[in-house]
Amino acid sequence: MSTGLIIVIVVVVVLVVAALVVLPGQMRSRRLKNRFGPEYDRAMHNADDQRAAERALAEREQRHSRFELRQLSDSDRTQYLQRWSTIQERFVDAPAEAVRAADGMVTEVMAKMGYPTEDGFDQRADDLSVRYAHDVDKYREAHELAADTDAAGTDGLRRALLNYRELVDSMLGADHEPAATRDGVTQDDATAAAGPRTQKGPISHD
């Protein structure tokens, strides 16, 4: 066998081995990016490197796979949609109170679906990110705004409620939601809620 042929064989073997090592990692990265969307970028920003970020996301998936999640019944959906409609109406006169109620409702719906809710907000958000990756960033922002209603102001509270609604829509299933309850919190609502009627008080970070 000539030296040139040996070199070619060695090069081919090296390329095959490299492909077997690199391709699974690339496929894993692509899958995680597709599943987590903006949460992938957030994990990359918060981690030391790509491997650590992807390991953290994979651990979320593994934890999530152990949950015994259940579908909400039609009666559950109807009840929560009615409550959400009440929360939106309350925003006009008591925006901070409405935002706190929205935050509490998200946690309650999570528990009803079978998610653990006792491990604090950050863990709840991480758990939701596996199924609702494109909504959880708004959930994080809403919770941060609701944590200090004085600093958030009327516009911030309005944005928080709209963000909560995005997640609620996804959790309850937008197809089940009557059009009347999908009306947003308008700028007129926010204006009407301005001034001394804005409620004060932080929301718990539990």
Side-chain angles (χ1 to χ4, degrees):
M1 185 179 295
S2 68
T3 302
L5 182 58
I6 293 175
I7 293 174
V8 169
I9 293 174
V10 170
V11 169
V12 170
V13 169
V14 170
L15 290 176
V16 170
V17 171
L20 291 175
V21 172
V22 173
L23 285 179
Q26 292 178 338
M27 293 176 62
R28 169 189 168 99
S29 297
R30 186 178 301 113
R31 183 186 67 80
L32 290 171
K33 287 179 182 178
N34 290 337
R35 177 159 199 174
F36 285 96
E39 276 293 290
Y40 183 92
D41 295 334
R42 182 178 183 276
M44 287 287 291
H45 178 75
N46 292 334
D48 293 333
D49 52 42
Q50 182 177 2
R51 181 177 298 180
E54 294 184 349
R55 182 169 59 249
L57 294 175
E59 288 172 355
R60 292 190 201 182
E61 289 182 315
Q62 292 173 2
R63 172 181 163 89
H64 192 275
S65 69
R66 295 193 293 269
F67 299 157
E68 296 182 3
L69 300 181
R70 49 189 174 270
Q71 295 289 330
L72 295 174
S73 67
D74 288 340
S75 61
D76 287 334
R77 288 191 178 94
T78 298
Q79 175 190 351
Y80 286 126
L81 289 172
Q82 290 172 345
R83 284 181 56 186
W84 182 257
S85 180
T86 299
I87 288 171
Q88 286 196 158
E89 293 171 359
R90 190 188 306 174
F91 182 87
V92 176
D93 294 317
E97 180 182 331
V99 167
R100 288 195 292 270
D103 186 86
M105 179 174 157
V106 169
T107 303
E108 185 176 334
V109 173
M110 285 184 67
K112 191 73 173 180
M113 294 175 69
Y115 283 97
T117 59
E118 67 279 359
D119 294 331
F121 172 78
D122 288 338
Q123 185 61 65
R124 292 197 298 272
D126 285 352
D127 291 341
L128 285 175
S129 72
V130 179
R131 180 177 285 186
Y132 305 104
H134 293 277
D135 298 307
V136 76
D137 57 331
K138 295 182 179 180
Y139 179 42
R140 295 182 194 278
E141 181 190 28
H143 188 83
E144 183 177 348
L145 289 166
D148 189 345
T149 57
D150 288 340
T154 301
D155 287 342
L157 292 175
R158 174 178 175 272
R159 187 165 72 253
L161 194 65
L162 291 173
N163 285 351
Y164 280 125
R165 194 194 71 174
E166 292 291 328
L167 179 57
V168 168
D169 279 356
S170 295
M171 295 176 75
L172 299 185
D175 291 341
H176 294 270
E177 187 171 6
T181 63
R182 289 181 57 80
D183 291 340
V185 181
T186 66
Q187 184 62 49
D188 289 341
D189 293 334
T191 301
R197 288 180 293 181
T198 301
Q199 302 299 305
K200 301 179 179 180
I203 201 167
S204 172
H205 284 282
D206 292 342

